[in-house]
Amino acid sequence: MAARQRLKAVLIDLSGTLHIEDSAVPGAQEALSRLRRAPVAVRFVTNTTKECKRTLLERLCRLDFDIQEREIFTSLSAARGLVERRALRPLLLLEHSALEDFSGIETSDPNAVVIGLAPEHFNYETLNKAFRLVLEGAPLIAIHKARYYKKKDGLALGPGPFVTGLEYATDTQATVVGKPEKTFFLEALRDLDCQPEEAIMIGDDARDDVGGAQNSGMLGILVKTGKYRAGDEAKISPQPHLTCENFPQAVDHILQHLV
Amino acid sequence: MAEMDWKHTIRDLKGVVLDMCGVLYDSGEGDGVAIDGSIEAVKRLKASDLQLRFCTNETQATREKFVAKLGRLGFDICVDEVFSPAPAAVTILKERGLRPHLLVHDDVVPEFDAVEKTDPNCVIIGDAADNFSYQNLNKAFQVLIGLEKPVLFSLGRGRYYKEMDGLKLDVGVYMKALEYACDVEAEVVGKPSPVFFQSVLADMGIQPSQALMIGDDLVNDVGGAQSCGMRGLLVKTGKYSYRWCLRPQFQKVTAVTPSAAAHAFMPRRLSVATSLSDHSELFMVTEEKPRDESSCTDACIDSVPGDVTRLTQWVQNL
């Protein structure tokens, strides 16, 4: 293996990696504490579109994780940035709880569509509304294109299938701001004075977490919790730097080999 | 040369296949509305010596219900003349021993009555309209992702269709959604699948080169038919969009003249008269006596993705 620069930052996925819905992955809190004692910066990166930063933070604190709001970077923040830069008035297909991160953005007479994970909006009527806007020229901005995610009672469709469907309907391409887009990972590292080659990503989604991170120059560790399914590691190229059981094991590896 | 090809085609023409929604009628409130001139056109086609079949990707009703509706609108059509995806899918299911989970419109479910549906080993999606709820899509997804060998049938792959109150998403959009979610490729039953067109040709007992498909969907009707060797004619009613003429393959065409000029060309048995006005073009089939050669022009877009030379010539002749 080629010599790599010293590790300066660890990006950690939330849902499926540190916790699954309202339960922490066993041993994760303690593993995070051990990681923090090492000379690395830590960032929590997530494509979760249902929840604003404050809600995410509250859950993580309830689960006894030692995390600060400024360490959280979400694809919602990335989307808001894009909407503001282009002065757009979006139709927001987002869960109610995510709207807080868009407060102050004009949404009447929409000329753009922002689409996240919003099952209540993925009905025929609302999707037709979004479709007609995009067909008339409104940009389609996707928080991310996750295919599915894990709930306690099984897998559930993410926003990706609906974004893909709208792209096909309108013969356009969405601008995707979340994982696995390169810009997402680079934005997450922006204020850490850290090159991608000096960073590593830990996540449960082979394509979106590990594949995306490795594509931007980082290393990736795939954990077998959350939405992981047997054989996922073979679905990306190059394969993950490491595939291991869970977040605590990933931290063990980092502390033993990379720091 | 384009004009010679078209005249040869018409001379050899033995059968016409008509798309229905967007060519014969526009759907919407109640039964919808017949498109001006189409009832008459069907009558004239039936009175000619051409064979006639109807090819639809309609999956919001059984063929019987659908044909009855067209009867109420004034069309003279019978069930045996209509080819639609649901019966074609049933044949495939039986051939391959498949049991479907259905995500289709309630009114087309009866077409699947004779099919075993418990313990499904495949998923079929149709134009389910309001049944395309997140919950229903999720159920279909869960069935698919749980199969060792996921098999997804899509009854058509259209992007959208026109109803009286605007454009609406078609089955192809949800097919793409499930394909993406499960990383599988759907098998399309209905237009533009070659198998579907071939079954219509077999029923008529004619070769592809002897058949003309007429539709409002550039890709699924005209493109699909032409891929099998049939001729295709695009009408400017229904979901037709002038924007198609602005796509890269048509880029040398600056505009289709929105004047009311009528162009007719006269093969021996049939003439196709198209009146070009803005975006509300009608397709009318009339029987007229042959005129002299010099007044004939090629009045159809005969190749997809686009024989730009022919199209340019055609536009210049307007």
Side-chain angles (χ1 to χ4, degrees), chain A residues 10-18 45 179 200-211 213 219-228 240 242-247 250:
Chain A
V10 180
L11 300 191
I12 306 167
D13 175 48
L14 291 177
S15 174
T17 302
L18 284 189
V45 295
K179 295 181 282 178
I200 192 164
M201 167 83 197
I202 306 170
D204 66 321
D205 188 318
R207 277 196 180 102
D208 287 359
D209 293 332
V210 180
L219 287 178
I221 296 179
L222 179 63
V223 289
K224 294 184 181 179
T225 48
K227 73 158 74 98
Y228 172 84
L242 174 71
T243 304
C244 63
E245 289 309 303
N246 51 38
F247 175 69

Side-chain angles (χ1 to χ4, degrees), chain B residues 9-307:
Chain B
T9 298
I10 294 302
R11 193 170 53 232
D12 297 335
L13 201 63
K14 291 206 158 66
V16 173
V17 182
L18 295 181
D19 174 40
M20 303 176 87
C21 185
V23 174
L24 303 182
Y25 75 102
D26 276 328
S27 59
E29 223 24 78
D31 283 344
V33 149
I35 291 172
D36 260 354
S38 291
I39 296 173
E40 199 44 43
V42 170
K43 281 203 182 107
R44 289 181 189 272
L45 273 170
K46 284 201 167 197
S48 76
D49 57 358
L50 294 169
Q51 291 209 58
L52 182 61
R53 296 290 185 278
F54 301 86
C55 210
T56 176
N57 271 2
E58 167 64 50
T59 55
Q60 288 200 14
T62 58
R63 267 174 311 160
E64 282 76 10
K65 279 222 182 92
F66 182 58
V67 165
K69 170 173 91 172
L70 286 159
R72 290 193 294 274
L73 287 176
F75 289 96
D76 171 27
I77 296 175
C78 43
V79 173
D80 290 339
E81 295 170 325
V82 176
F83 285 74
S84 70
V90 168
T91 305
I92 295 173
L93 294 173
K94 291 200 173 125
E95 279 169 6
R96 289 159 60 173
L98 292 169
R99 301 177 302 277
H101 171 89
L102 298 174
L103 176 47
V104 298
H105 197 279
D106 290 343
D107 291 343
V108 84
V109 170
E111 294 264 25
F112 295 92
D113 275 348
V115 172
E116 182 59 54
K117 295 181 210 67
T118 50
D119 187 29
N121 54 11
C122 72
V123 168
I124 296 185
I125 55 168
D127 175 16
D130 288 313
N131 275 351
F132 278 136
S133 63
Y134 179 80
Q135 290 75 8
N136 287 344
L137 272 158
N138 217 32
K139 258 190 252 151
F141 159 69
Q142 286 170 342
V143 169
L144 263 181
I145 200 95
L147 294 172
E148 203 180 303
K149 193 176 174 298
V151 175
L152 171 63
F153 294 102
S154 181
L155 305 180
R157 49 172 290 154
R159 291 154 63 205
Y160 53 88
Y161 53 85
K162 180 176 169 187
E163 288 216 334
M164 276 155 67
D165 57 341
L167 299 177
K168 301 220 170 134
L169 295 172
D170 201 352
V171 61
V173 171
Y174 293 92
M175 172 196 83
K176 286 287 178 183
L178 287 175
E179 284 187 328
Y180 180 81
C182 303
D183 203 14
V184 294
E185 202 176 315
E187 296 181 46
V188 177
V189 181
K191 300 177 284 184
S193 155
V195 170
F196 190 68
F197 287 109
Q198 280 151 9
S199 68
V200 184
L201 293 170
D203 192 64
M204 288 192 282
I206 63 178
Q207 293 303 306
S209 56
Q210 299 169 321
L212 173 69
M213 171 79 202
I214 300 169
D216 67 329
D217 187 320
L218 185 64
V219 173
N220 293 300
D221 295 333
V222 178
Q226 287 181 175
S227 300
C228 305
M230 293 167 66
R231 291 294 174 154
L233 179 66
L234 182 68
V235 289
K236 290 163 74 174
T237 46
K239 79 159 72 102
Y240 167 87
S241 164
Y242 75 95
R243 285 195 199 105
W244 287 338
C245 289
L246 301 176
R247 289 165 72 112
Q249 53 264 40
F250 293 113
Q251 67 196 4
K252 287 190 190 158
V253 178
T254 49
V256 175
T257 315
S259 64
H263 297 264
F265 61 94
M266 311 295 165
R268 260 174 284 147
R269 285 172 312 221
L270 252 217
S271 73
V272 171
T274 58
S275 121
L276 301 167
S277 62
D278 247 335
H279 309 305
S280 56
E281 173 155 306
L282 307 178
F283 173 71
M284 294 190 307
V285 177
T286 59
E287 278 171 346
E288 283 176 36
K289 285 211 199 92
R291 284 200 224 147
D292 69 287
E293 296 279 303
S294 58
S295 67
C296 295
T297 49
D298 190 335
C300 74
I301 302 168
D302 195 31
S303 60
V304 173
D307 181 336

Side-chain angles (χ1 to χ4, degrees), chain A residues 109-166:
Chain A
D109 185 29
N111 60 3
V113 175
V114 170
I115 173 167
L117 175 58
E120 76 183 66
H121 293 309
F122 292 160
N123 54 69
Y124 193 57
E125 196 185 321
T126 310
L127 284 175
N128 271 328
K129 197 168 158 199
F131 155 64
R132 290 173 197 165
L133 279 171
V134 178
L135 199 65
E136 288 304 309
L140 178 59
I141 297 168
I143 305 291
H144 64 85
K145 284 187 73 171
R147 292 156 197 261
Y148 51 82
Y149 65 105
K150 176 146 177 73
K151 295 181 73 173
K152 283 196 196 117
D153 55 351
L155 298 176
L157 288 169
F162 298 94
V163 173
T164 303
L166 285 174

